[in-house]
Amino acid sequence: MSKHTVLFELGCEELPPKSLKKLRDALTAETVKGLKDAGLAFDSIEAYAAPRRLALKIVNVDGAQADTQKRFDGPAKQAAFDSDGNPTKALEGFMRGQGITVDQISTFQAGKVEKVCYLKDVKGQSLDALLPQILQNALDNLPIAKRMRSAASRTEFVRPVKWVVLLKDNDVVDATIQDLQTGNVTFGHRFHAPEAITLTHADEYLSKLKAAYVVASFEERQAIIDGQVKALADEVNAIAIVPADLRDEVTALVDWPVALRASFEERFLAVPQEALITTMQDNQKYFCLVNSDNKLQPYFITVSNIESKDPTQIIEGNEKVVRPRLSDAEFFFLQDQKQPLASRKEKLANMVFQAELGTLWDKSTRIAKLAVALAPITGAKATDAEKAALLAKCDLTSELVGEFPELQGIAGTYYARLEGENDEVAESLGEQYLPKFAGDVLPKTKTGTTIALADRLDTLTGIFGIGQAPTGSKDPFALRRSAIGILRLVTENELDVSIEDLIKLALAAYGDVLKDHDKTLNDAVAFLEGRYRAKYEDQGVAVDVIQAVQALSPKSPLDFDKRVNAVNHFRALPEAAALAAANKRVANILAKEAAPTGAVVEANLVEDAEKALFAELAKITPQVEPLFAAKDYTAALSALAALRAPVDTFFDGVMVMADDAELKANRLRMLTQLRDLFTKVADISVLQH
C-alpha cells in the first residue's frame, strides 16, 4: 500500500497566546483519534504552532483504508433450500434485498445452525476522501471557550481563519475546511516576509517558513528564547527568572524570537522587588534578572518578534513603557511609609472578616491571644508572637497591597523592617500565609510558624462555630487547604500537641462569640482528622497504610505522622504480607471469642509451635517496649517482623479453638498478646497485599 506525507496548516489572525500550546496538542490528539478510527496507519505526527498558524505533518500515512469484507446474514440453510435444493421464498427475499444471485451465496456456522450469508467486498476509501472530514472534526472538537465567526462565513473558530493548506506529498487535497478552499499557499512573517509562499511538497514546510522568518516549531522557538535569554543574563552576571507560564506565553507571541536586554534606573530597586517583578512579568511579559542572592538587578529582557536594523530603538521603547509602571509601584511604596503599620488598625476595624465573626481587627486580636497561648508549644517568644499577630493584617490596608494583592504579608515585612522591628516579627508577617498550596515551603521563623498556625486555627474554628462547614462544592474560606496547612505546620515542626488542644485554645480566644463550644470542638477535630487521608495520599502513601493508622485514632498529628511512616516502611518488608494476613486472622478469631484475662500459663503450652511463639514473644516484648515509649515506631515494627516465622508455624500446626477449655484460653491469651504488640502502632490487619 502506498504511503504519503500529509501537511495540514490552518492560517489565522493571531491566536490567543495562553492557549496556543493547548490548541496544538488538542488538534494533534483529535487527528490521531480520527486517523485511528478510520483505520489509517501512520508513523508519526509532527505538530507546529506559531502566532498565526496551527499545523500538522503526518508522516508515512496509508494512502487508503484496507479493503474489507462485510457479511450480511440470511436465513438458516435448512430454511433457504427446499428438498430439491431450490431456493425457498425466504432465500429469494434475502437475495432480492441484497441484489444477488444464488451463485453469490456463502454459508457459515452460527452455533449449531448453518446459515446462508452474502460476503460483500467493501473497498477502502482513499486518504483524500477521508482527510478533510477527519481534520474538520478535529477542529470542531478543540477546547475553545469563545468561538468567532468572520465576515459571511458560518463556521466558527477561536480567531478568523485566513488560509488552509492541505498537501499530500506534492499534491493539493481538494477540500473545503472552515469554509475555505484548501491550497498550497502559506504566508510567512507579517512584517519580514508578507508575500505568499507556494509549497511544492509537504516536506518543505519548515524550511520555506524559516526562510520567511517563521520558526513553526513551538519547542524550537522556546529553545531559541532560552538560549538568547541565558546569554543576555550571563553578560551581566545575572540569572533570569523564567516562570513556565510566562515562557510558554512569550513563545506563543513570536514567530521569530529576538531577545533584547534593557535596563531601568537603579533607584527603583529600593521598592519591594516582588512588586517590580510582578508588574514587569504580568503587564509587560518581561523576564526579570536577579543575582546569585536572588536580589533584583536593574535589567529586564524583552522578546521581540522583529529583527530590527536598530535594536536600540526597541530597547528604548520598552524602557519608556516600563518606567511609569515602576514609578507607580514606587509611589505606593513611599505613600505607605507615611503611616506606621500599627496605626492602620482603625482601617482594619472597618473591614469585615466574616459577618458573624467580626472585623479583621477582631480577628487580629484573637490571633494575638491565640499566638501567646501557642508560643510555649512552638518555642516562639510570646512578646514577638503577640506583636506580630497585631501587625499581621495591617498591610492589607496599604496602597501597595491594594495595587498588588499578591504582596500581602510581603509588604508588611518590608514596612516592619523599615520601622525597626526585629527579624522574627518582620519575617513572620510574610510567613503567616505559608504554606499557600500543597507542597509549598513552611515558615522559617518560630514566630512565623505561630502566626500561620493561629490564623488558620482561628478561621477554621470560627467557621465551624457558626455552622458554615465546607460542603462538597463550597469551601469559600479554603478550610480544606487550611487544615492540611495546620497538619503540616504541626508535624514538620515536630510540635507535640493534640488536635483537640489546638482547637480548645482557638475556642478560648473566641470566648462567648461562639455559642456551642462542645459541638464546635467535635466538628472541627473530626474535620481535621478527616484531612489526614488527603495529606498522605498527596505524598504517595497508600490508602490502606493511612487506614491502618486511623483505626487507632491517634490524638496528635505528630504521632500520626510517625505511625504512618513506620507502617509505610513496614509494608515494604518481605515479612509484611504474611504478618498482615496473620493479624487479620487473629483479629477475626478474637472478634468471635473474647480472650480470657490474665497472663499466658507456660505449663499449659503443649505443642512445639506454641512454645516457640511464646519464647519469641517473651524475647521480643522487652526489646520493643522502650521503642514504643520513645515513639520509635519504625524500629518497633521492624523488630516485630521477626515474628513472621514463629507465627506462620503456629497457625500451621496449632488448633487455637481446642476442645480443652484451658488450652483454648491459653492460646487466645497468647494471640491477644501478639495483637497488642502490633496495635501499639497501627492495625496492620488492614493492609492489603
Side-chain angles (χ1 to χ4, degrees), residues 589-596 668:
I589 293 170
L590 295 176
K592 292 190 195 99
E593 288 275 345
L668 287 171

Side-chain angles (χ1 to χ4, degrees), residues 462-536:
I463 300 300
F464 270 91
I466 57 169
Q468 304 266 324
T471 61
S473 57
K474 286 199 179 77
D475 186 4
F477 285 86
L479 295 187
R480 291 185 180 90
R481 191 172 64 218
S482 241
I484 288 181
I486 291 169
L487 296 176
R488 279 193 62 200
L489 287 161
V490 173
T491 54
E492 292 174 44
N493 287 298
E494 300 197 0
L495 308 180
D496 196 5
V497 61
S498 73
I499 289 177
E500 198 165 297
D501 286 347
L502 290 173
I503 303 295
K504 279 180 178 166
L505 293 175
L507 283 165
Y510 267 105
D512 53 13
V513 173
L514 298 179
K515 302 293 173 273
D516 191 340
H517 279 215
D518 291 345
K519 184 180 184 326
T520 306
L521 179 67
N522 292 335
D523 292 351
V525 169
F527 179 74
L528 271 163
E529 287 180 343
R531 301 312 294 156
Y532 280 130
R533 181 159 167 179
K535 175 184 187 295
Y536 289 104

Side-chain angles (χ1 to χ4, degrees), residues 117-181:
C117 65
Y118 166 47
L119 298 171
K120 184 178 183 179
D121 292 325
V122 180
K123 190 144 181 59
Q125 283 186 276
S126 71
L127 177 64
D128 296 31
L130 294 163
L131 254 184
Q133 197 52 53
I134 290 172
L135 293 167
Q136 186 61 61
N137 285 348
L139 292 171
D140 291 344
N141 287 332
L142 291 188
I144 299 168
K146 286 184 181 162
R147 290 176 176 264
M148 283 184 164
R149 276 217 308 269
S150 53
S153 168
R154 299 296 307 148
T155 53
E156 298 176 323
F157 196 58
V158 62
R159 289 289 181 270
V161 177
K162 295 296 186 187
W163 72 87
V164 181
V165 173
L166 189 54
L167 283 175
K168 181 180 82 177
D169 302 326
N170 43 18
D171 299 322
V172 172
V173 177
D174 192 26
T176 304
I177 292 177
Q178 291 294 128
D179 269 0
L180 287 173
Q181 178 64 36

Side-chain angles (χ1 to χ4, degrees), residues 12-24:
C12 318
E13 294 286 344
E14 274 71 8
L15 290 157
K18 285 185 173 154
S19 44
L20 185 66
K21 207 171 165 185
K22 193 168 80 181
L23 288 170
R24 177 200 67 178

Side-chain angles (χ1 to χ4, degrees), residues 160-310:
V161 177
K162 295 296 186 187
W163 72 87
V164 181
V165 173
L166 189 54
L167 283 175
K168 181 180 82 177
D169 302 326
N170 43 18
D171 299 322
V172 172
V173 177
D174 192 26
T176 304
I177 292 177
Q178 291 294 128
D179 269 0
L180 287 173
Q181 178 64 36
T182 52
N184 60 351
V185 175
T186 184
F187 294 86
H189 193 287
R190 215 186 247 289
F191 304 110
H192 285 308
E195 52 286 335
I197 301 161
T198 303
L199 299 168
T200 53
H201 193 286
D203 282 335
E204 14 169 84
Y205 181 66
L206 287 184
S207 56
K208 278 209 168 168
L209 276 185
K210 201 165 270 184
Y213 289 84
V214 175
V215 179
S217 160
F218 193 93
E219 280 71 24
E220 193 183 335
R221 283 201 313 287
Q222 197 148 69
I224 292 168
I225 291 169
D226 290 346
Q228 292 180 352
V229 167
K230 186 177 185 317
L232 289 171
D234 287 349
E235 284 173 16
V236 289
N237 283 332
I239 302 146
I241 307 174
V242 185
D245 289 352
L246 181 61
R247 177 173 173 246
D248 279 351
E249 193 178 347
V250 169
T251 306
L253 281 165
V254 292
D255 281 313
W256 192 257
V258 180
L260 301 166
R261 188 183 62 245
S263 57
F264 58 84
E265 289 93 321
E266 292 207 20
R267 69 183 173 91
F268 289 122
L269 294 175
V271 180
Q273 70 179 51
E274 292 84 353
L276 303 180
I277 291 169
T278 297
T279 192
M280 286 194 274
Q281 287 179 349
D282 294 0
N283 300 310
Q284 306 302 135
K285 313 301 172 199
Y286 295 157
F287 297 119
C288 299
L289 299 182
V290 293
N291 67 10
S292 53
D293 294 332
N294 208 28
K295 292 277 176 288
L296 188 64
Q297 301 299 290
Y299 305 104
F300 60 88
I301 292 172
T302 179
V303 179
S304 167
N305 193 24
I306 291 180
E307 202 163 288
S308 172
K309 291 187 175 61
D310 185 8

Side-chain angles (χ1 to χ4, degrees), residues 545-579:
V545 171
I546 304 163
Q547 288 169 331
V549 178
Q550 275 178 322
L552 268 66
S553 308
K555 295 289 167 249
S556 113
L558 182 60
D559 190 37
F560 196 102
D561 190 66
K562 287 179 174 170
R563 289 171 192 263
V564 164
N565 291 332
V567 177
N568 218 15
H569 177 266
F570 172 76
R571 195 173 188 262
L573 300 177
E575 299 87 352
L579 282 168

